[in-house]
Amino acid sequence: MKMTVNKSLGRGSVLTISGGVLWGISGTCGQYLLQVKGLASDWLVPVRLLCAGLLLLFFCFLKQGKQIFAPYKDGKDTRDLLIFGMVGMSMCQYTYFTAIGYSNAGTATVLQYIGPVLIMLYVSARAGKIPEKHELLAAALAMAGTFLLATHGKPGSLAISDQALFWGLCSAAALAVYTTQPGRLLKKYGSMVIAAWGMLIGGILLSLIFRPWEKTVPLDPAAAAFMGIIILFGTVIAFACYLEGVNCVGPKKGSLLASVEPVSATVFSVLFMGVNFGFMDLFGFVCIISTVFLLTSGKE
């Protein structure tokens, strides 16, 4: 029995880490497309969401059949799903890739990881309670890490562009909305179906806003291959691995294992994009990523 449990935990850990690594690779591929191939986030994100949403829905249909349409049988669920897709999913993805375009995959991913601290502050305020000591420490580390990334410890001067900082913080706020808003839907219908519909809805909204079909895109074979990696491996397979992994190891351990994502994004940015990170950058990264461990050290 113990061997079976250990095997399940081992399999879950590998799957969860694999999902985080694939997300990090996706960010680096996005950086390549935005900075080397000259694609714009207002083309890349709608196309990614539409394609990934359709693929995920097809995958869900193979497993659940017509049950994937269940959220549309309830007016309140339909409304919340539309809000999730149009506000949570679309803004989370658009702000993240825009931040990558102005900085790099590592920095943008780490800034997005301020999101869990914003969630903690929101939950505490809503409950009318003062955050616990480890939560306050997490908030302080998030602010310190952001300060180091933005200024390298020199107040009054930015080490990254103001656009990168703005979109990175917007990405963290969008992640907080993306994580908290669909809670009821996730419990009722499952993560995969809700994420699939959210991607498709978000992709349709951004397509109507940015009209990617009207843009001239330098989509050569290399760019097309990287788009394929982002859509298939960085979205569909990564999400499936993460959900299956969390199902084995639980949400708390899953959150810790998934924090390999910013590490992965940073490593691949260095190896494949030649990005140079200084001591202050890495120290800022450590401060922000450590908040995940602090926030998961308390109650479930």
Side-chain angles (χ1 to χ4, degrees):
M1 180 69 177
K2 187 175 181 181
M3 286 183 66
T4 303
V5 172
N6 288 338
K7 187 176 180 180
S8 177
L9 287 173
R11 177 175 176 270
S13 298
V14 170
L15 286 171
T16 307
I17 291 172
S18 297
V21 170
L22 288 173
W23 278 327
I25 292 173
S26 174
T28 306
C29 289
Q31 182 182 345
Y32 173 82
L33 291 173
L34 294 167
Q35 297 181 358
V36 177
K37 290 298 182 179
L39 273 67
S41 57
D42 55 12
W43 183 89
L44 188 154
V45 177
V47 172
R48 179 211 185 188
L49 288 179
L50 284 173
C51 294
L54 288 171
L55 283 172
L56 271 177
L57 272 179
F58 178 70
F59 179 73
C60 292
F61 181 78
L62 293 178
K63 294 183 68 177
Q64 302 178 33
K66 294 181 180 180
Q67 276 299 108
I68 65 172
F69 299 103
Y72 296 103
K73 295 179 180 179
D74 183 292
K76 185 179 179 182
D77 292 346
T78 302
R79 180 203 65 192
D80 288 351
L81 184 56
L82 290 173
I83 292 172
F84 170 62
M86 292 189 291
V87 180
M89 182 66 77
S90 64
M91 290 302 99
C92 186
Q93 294 297 313
Y94 179 73
T95 54
Y96 171 62
F97 277 97
T98 303
I100 288 177
Y102 283 113
S103 56
N104 57 74
T107 300
T109 306
V110 170
L111 285 174
Q112 192 179 58
Y113 264 63
I114 298 171
V117 176
L118 299 180
I119 294 170
M120 177 272 294
L121 294 173
Y122 165 76
V123 171
S124 296
R126 188 174 181 180
K129 71 179 185 71
I130 298 174
E132 298 180 14
K133 290 181 180 179
H134 70 281
E135 294 173 330
L136 290 172
L137 178 57
L141 283 171
M143 289 188 288
T146 305
F147 172 76
L148 290 173
L149 280 179
T151 68
H152 283 183
K154 299 176 182 178
S157 63
L158 283 177
I160 59 176
S161 70
D162 51 357
Q163 295 100 325
L165 181 60
F166 171 78
W167 288 109
L169 294 178
C170 285
S171 175
L175 178 68
V177 175
Y178 164 87
T179 305
T180 56
Q181 187 269 339
R184 186 180 63 82
L185 294 176
L186 296 175
K187 291 178 182 178
K188 190 173 181 180
Y189 300 107
S191 301
M192 190 73 81
V193 170
I194 297 304
W197 280 118
M199 288 179 187
L200 186 60
I201 292 168
I204 291 172
L205 174 68
L206 292 178
S207 295
L208 293 174
I209 293 173
F210 296 120
R211 300 177 179 272
W213 59 85
E214 294 181 353
K215 301 181 186 300
T216 302
V217 179
L219 201 61
D220 58 22
F226 275 85
M227 275 297 297
I229 292 172
I230 290 175
I231 293 167
L232 183 59
F233 292 95
T235 307
V236 178
I237 295 177
F239 201 85
C241 285
Y242 175 74
L243 285 180
E244 181 62 25
V246 169
N247 188 46
C248 295
V249 303
K252 179 177 285 190
K253 189 172 182 180
S255 297
L256 292 173
L257 294 172
S259 63
V260 72
E261 179 189 355
V263 178
S264 168
T266 301
V267 170
F268 285 111
S269 290
V270 172
L271 293 178
F272 297 108
M273 296 299 297
V275 178
N276 293 316
F277 295 105
F279 173 77
M280 286 296 184
D281 294 309
L282 297 176
F283 191 36
F285 287 5
V286 171
C287 288
I288 292 174
I289 296 172
S290 65
T291 63
V292 178
F293 294 83
L294 285 169
L295 293 176
T296 53
S297 65
K299 296 178 181 179
E300 189 72 62

